[in-house]
Amino acid sequence: MKWTFENGIPIYLQILARMRSDIAGGVYPAGAKLPPVRELALDAGVNPNTMQRAFAELEREGLVYTQRTSGRFVTEDENVLKELRKTLSREIVNEMCMRLVRLGLSQEEIRAAVADWKAEQETMTAQGE
């Protein structure tokens, strides 16, 4: 998985956002062992201390836990994972709607655009795409 970072946003916050998304999206499923900090830091091209800072925050949030001598694991608490998905989905929907408002769309036009998207997805699913 390729890591890219934006200027102006602390790298550990970008790592934190990426790991939250990867956990919520199942890249790292419940109970999965996470790669070691040094391995991920090397892969991302960041200082291990930066990666460790992000992992410490994930642990504080209850998304991961450490087993001495075994490494870090994704929580198996489905309520925590469900809340993470809910929080991230709200953030994404809010960002999308704010961008559409900046384009000049009304709330009704946004609803129509979402309904159109949903209809297209249902059509694609029915066609087996």
Side-chain angles (χ1 to χ4, degrees):
M1 72 183 114
K2 177 128 173 66
W3 292 82
T4 56
F5 299 105
E6 296 178 34
N7 291 329
I9 302 171
I11 291 174
Y12 91 95
L13 290 176
Q14 294 179 62
I15 292 169
L16 189 55
R18 164 88 178 260
M19 292 302 295
R20 284 179 185 137
S21 179
D22 285 354
I23 290 168
V27 173
Y28 300 113
K33 183 175 181 180
L34 295 171
V37 167
R38 289 192 185 282
E39 182 181 315
L40 280 174
L42 183 63
D43 186 43
V46 300
N47 186 301
N49 292 332
T50 303
M51 188 64 71
Q52 176 60 37
R53 184 174 181 190
F55 271 63
E57 182 63 20
L58 290 170
E59 196 157 344
R60 190 189 68 71
E61 293 174 358
L63 296 174
V64 303
Y65 63 93
T66 301
Q67 283 188 341
R68 275 181 105 75
T69 71
S70 296
R72 282 195 175 91
F73 297 83
V74 175
T75 183
E76 295 178 40
D77 186 334
E78 285 300 323
N79 290 328
V80 170
L81 296 172
K82 184 177 181 181
E83 189 60 34
L84 173 63
R85 287 184 199 98
K86 188 175 178 182
T87 298
L88 293 179
S89 67
R90 277 191 201 132
E91 290 173 5
I92 291 166
V93 168
N94 186 56
E95 180 183 340
M96 178 191 73
C97 289
M98 294 306 296
R99 290 178 70 184
L100 293 172
V101 166
R102 283 194 297 272
L103 287 175
L105 274 70
S106 68
Q107 287 186 2
E108 188 53 44
E109 290 170 318
I110 293 170
R111 279 189 207 96
V114 170
D116 289 347
W117 176 85
K118 183 180 177 196
E120 288 172 11
Q121 296 303 306
E122 289 170 351
T123 299
M124 288 174 29
T125 300
Q127 293 173 351
E129 294 179 17

